[in-house]
């Protein structure tokens, strides 16, 4: 079944909060950012001010020249934070699958919610009504089968808009739009694409990603997918870790390959255990190395299939480690391994591969024993070496620095 993703974004947020608190400002050109004589830029412009060409990021001096009759307000962050919290609380009443993206913007998964509200369209109208009644603010909403299309729909619907893109109509909806409408396409990317004769999202959609690879590297595939309305990103609930990593600084800088490998194995097992504890799979593995002179490098590899076994993390990390060491003479001061781009476990092609299936079974058994008796209850071949080298670490507990980044 197709998902129903909503993107909700408040119109002229900072300005609208000021207008809600001071009705005299309503319907007028208003700018939040500072006084016109300040060397600052426009943070938010009312839609009335936008008619004079004002927009976020414009120097206030320019804004004042274009629209001297506007009211310029310095703004106060606590007011906006308060409004934002109340806005998110309203959204949370509608769906627990809520991902706040910024102060005035959130994604919501509304799949299957039509039975509660009559339709998803009605649900969006209800959200808009409550936001208006309780906060005096206007929300624009895009509804589509994925995040990127919902976001673009919300943006196009502004102000006070509601735009629904039917499942299956994503490509034809996106096709005529200029590429700058695609999230992530900034001025520089736009220039490069225009240089290649690509001006619309539709033209980008039919350009083979291989043709863009020399310009945009790994992002070419992502751009291609987005341009085709393909985006399988899930709603990320706050508090869900975006990445999991562990690292170790050696007591003494080292070039000892066995020690580096053993440490990498140990760290991979810790990361793998964390990942499985959270019932996640990772698409990306990152190796971090700091050399004796403190130069720090990271090397990343995207897995063909998302994985969560210790072996997958370790094997990938080891390949990256070998490649990095081949290019550097210096001893290593720190080694770290991390996983990111975390996804819910889905049906996996790799499960058909019996060696992966066996690894999963093995990890399950090890996790069970470790959960009961502690992480060090089981030492795998490589990490046993660490016990001799760092006896004081009890096989590891003081050795690692866990890090969950959000
Ligand atoms: P936006 O949602 O980008 O802008 P907006 O809400 O003012 O207008 P729109 O109707 O187009 O959504 O950003 C939300 C708030 O974030 C905005 O009101 C002010 C703040 N902001 C800045 O402080 N600096 C900036 O450069 C931008 C773009 C926004
Ligand atoms: Mg906004």
């Amino acid at each position: 079944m197709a998902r129903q993703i909503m993107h909700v974004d408040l119109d002229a947020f900072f300005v609208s909060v000021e207008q809600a608190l001071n009705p005299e400002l309503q319907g007028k050109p208003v700018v939040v950012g500072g006084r016109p004589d300040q060397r600052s830029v426009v943070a938010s412009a009312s839609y009335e001010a936008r008619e004079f060409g004002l927009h976020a990021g414009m120097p206030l001096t320019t804004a004042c020249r274009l629209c001297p009759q506007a009211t310029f307000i310095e703004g106060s962050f606590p007011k906006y934070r308060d409004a934002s919290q109340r806005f998110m609380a309203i959204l949370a009443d509608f769906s627990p699958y809520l991902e706040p993206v910024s102060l005035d913007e959130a994604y919501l998964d509304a799949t299957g919610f039509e039975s509660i509200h009559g339709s998803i369209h009605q649900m969006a109208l209800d959200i808009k009504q409550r936001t208006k009644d309780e906060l005096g603010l206007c929300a624009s909403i895009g509804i589509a089968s994925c995040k990127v299309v919902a976001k673009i729909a919300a943006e196009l619907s502004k102000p006070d808009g509601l735009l629904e893109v039917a499942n299956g109509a994503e490509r034809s909806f996106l096709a005529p739009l200029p590429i700058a409408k695609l999230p992530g396409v900034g001025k520089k990317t736009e220039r490069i694409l225009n240089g290649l004769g690509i001006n619309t999202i539709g033209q980008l959609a039919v350009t083979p990603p291989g043709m863009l690879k020399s310009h945009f590297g790994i992002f070419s595939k992502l751009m291609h997918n987005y341009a085709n309305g393909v985006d399988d990103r899930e709603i990320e609930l706050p508090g869900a870790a975006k990445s999991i990593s562990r690292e170790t600084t050696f007591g003494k800088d080292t070039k000892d390959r066995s020690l580096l490998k053993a440490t990498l194995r140990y760290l991979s097992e810790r990361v793998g255990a964390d990942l499985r504890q959270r019932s996640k799979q990772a698409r990306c593995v990152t190796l971090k190395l700091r050399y004796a002179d403190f130069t720090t490098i990271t090397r990343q590899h995207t897995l063909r299939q998302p994985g969560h076994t210790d072996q997958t993390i370790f094997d990938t990390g080891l390949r990256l480690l070998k490649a990095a060491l081949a290019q550097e003479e210096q001893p290593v001061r720190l080694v770290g391994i991390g996983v990111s781009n975390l996804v819910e476990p889905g049906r996996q092609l790799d499960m058909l591969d019996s060696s992966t299936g066996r690894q999963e079974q093995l990890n399950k058994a090890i996790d069970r024993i470790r959960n009961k008796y502690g992480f060090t209850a089981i030492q795998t071949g490589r990490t046993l070496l660490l016990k001799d080298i760092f006896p004081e670490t009890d096989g590891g507990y003081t050795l690692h620095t866990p890090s969950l980044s959000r």
Side-chain angles (χ1 to χ4, degrees), residues 9-14 43-44 47 50 56 104 158:
D9 187 295
L10 296 171
D11 297 340
F13 177 48
F14 287 7
S44 179
Y47 279 78
R50 290 183 203 194
D104 80 328
K158 278 174 174 290

Side-chain angles (χ1 to χ4, degrees), residues 5 97-99 107-109 147 233-237:
I5 305 292
Y97 309 108
L98 170 68
E99 178 185 340
Y107 287 105
L108 219 86
D109 195 331
K147 280 182 166 180
R233 284 174 301 160
E234 300 279 352
I235 301 294
E236 279 183 29
L237 304 180

